Amino acid sequence: MSITLISKEGAQFLVSKPVADRIGVVRDCAYGADFWLGYAVATDDSMGITLANVTSSILSKILVWCEHYKDMEPLVDGDSNMEFPEWDMAYIGHDMNQILFVLEAADYLHIPGLLLLACKGIADVLDGRNPRGICDLLGIVMDFSHRQEVDMDKENGYWRWFLHPT
Amino acid sequence: MLRILKLPAEVLDVIIEHIYSPLDLLSLASTCKRLRDLVLHDHLDWRSISVLFEDIPYLQSILGTERRTSLVQRLRIQSYEEQGDPITGGFRRIRPMTRKEPTVEELVKGLASLSNTLCSIRTLDLNVDALDFGHFDGFFAALRRTSPFFTNLSISASLVVGEAHEKRLEQTQSVIWIFLPVLYHLIRTLGHFRHQRTNTLLLVFRRLL
């Protein structure tokens, strides 16, 4: 059994069932009609499922991840101490723009494992940067007034002293 | 780009949770208002906290929401307040405005609910009286069940009971009395060099003594 996924541009991706199972939305679409029996009703999906918010390039990237994890369970739960496999870190890369696209798509498609990996990727990119670097990277405009900036410096000093009293 | 600010709050929480170093968190906090509120008042404030043993019911009541309990990563429980430096290892102290003596049932209930809800705790510092230690039956096992990353546990139990406690208090007071004349001389010599007025003040002070 295979399922056709249609991206925002209308490109069609033919994926097998275990790969499509990794994508929450697609799984719900395919199984949703017969949830109580627990098996898919449609044996062959000829219409295809339209994913209106995901572009072709990002969908193909996400399908690579799904293909890799079609047999294994991905990490779903984790904190900052958790080590991801090397393949995952190489997959997510260091390109902020790309990671944000993957993150948004994973949120939209309900893929908790990929969502966590993208969060980890963003945190890694943000590691060890100063505020100005982060602003440049994320396109944030500093929206503090002068007064707030003075207060902020004071508070930052307090926090630094709090964390490293020496 | 600015897309990161349009992400849902839960996703932003996960991203910030993955940033381990507090200094990196600070530099993220000084970029814009929304991230600042999120990082400082939610994450950095609750990441490592220290609490008195008798305030545990209070801690349980202020950690009401599930989101807030999931932010706590380091917890220190103490039986008595340390004198001296209030800043110890980056723990934020939590203490109620008014304290009322909790009953044993309240303490046990508070500990049980803490162990069932602290899902992302990693380090636990216990600095309690040996007498209080009986309340911790099954606490660690429950913590280990709820939080898979619970790895560091340090326990130091002390026996400060009744008379011994009072004796310790007396000792600290006597230490203050021994050092008072030394302080007095120090102030006097300093005052001598700075102002004449302080000298007259000190004269009054000496008469009072």
Side-chain angles (χ1 to χ4, degrees), chain B residues 133-185:
Chain B
F133 209 75
H135 300 306
F136 286 90
D137 271 353
F139 180 70
F140 306 116
L143 257 191
R144 205 158 285 145
R145 225 177 299 126
T146 45
S147 59
F149 310 106
F150 178 43
T151 45
N152 300 326
L153 171 67
S154 69
I155 303 175
S156 64
S158 54
L159 196 64
V160 187
V161 201
E163 285 177 27
H165 194 61
E166 279 165 20
K167 205 177 278 175
R168 191 156 148 261
L169 275 181
E170 275 175 16
Q171 274 174 4
T172 50
Q173 277 171 5
S174 65
V175 165
I176 291 171
W177 283 115
I178 290 167
F179 276 105
L180 205 63
V182 182
L183 271 175
Y184 168 64
H185 279 285

Side-chain angles (χ1 to χ4, degrees), chain A residues 77-82 84 96-97 100-101 103-104 107 115-116 119-120 122-123 126-131 134-135 137-145 148 151-152 155-156 158-165, chain B residues 1-5 7-8 11 14-15 17-24 26-36 40-41 44-45 47-48 73 85-93 120 122 148-149 151:
Chain A
D77 220 16
D79 74 343
S80 56
N81 260 12
M82 177 135 271
F84 281 85
M96 194 67 178
N97 206 0
L100 271 175
F101 274 124
L103 179 64
E104 282 163 358
D107 191 27
L115 188 78
L116 194 74
C119 287
K120 171 77 176 163
I122 289 181
L126 292 182
D127 245 15
R129 283 177 193 265
N130 56 357
I134 292 176
C135 278
L137 191 73
L138 299 177
I140 297 173
V141 183
M142 283 202 192
D143 52 358
F144 297 111
S145 62
Q148 276 172 330
D151 287 354
M152 198 176 72
E155 205 177 340
N156 276 2
Y158 165 73
W159 272 107
R160 269 169 215 281
W161 173 73
F162 181 78
L163 298 165
H164 299 284
Chain B
M1 244 184 315
L2 249 172
R3 297 209 314 270
I4 196 158
L5 295 180
L7 291 174
V11 178
V14 179
I15 293 175
E17 222 167 81
H18 276 91
I19 300 176
Y20 181 64
S21 152
L23 291 180
D24 282 340
L26 261 189
S27 53
L28 184 64
S30 34
T31 51
C32 73
K33 281 182 203 163
R34 181 165 175 224
L35 282 179
R36 180 164 191 84
L40 282 196
H41 303 304
L44 216 47
D45 258 6
R47 209 167 251 201
S48 41
Q73 292 184 1
D85 194 7
I87 303 300
T88 42
F91 283 94
R92 190 171 76 98
R93 260 194 214 168
S120 63
R122 268 187 274 150
F149 310 106
T151 45

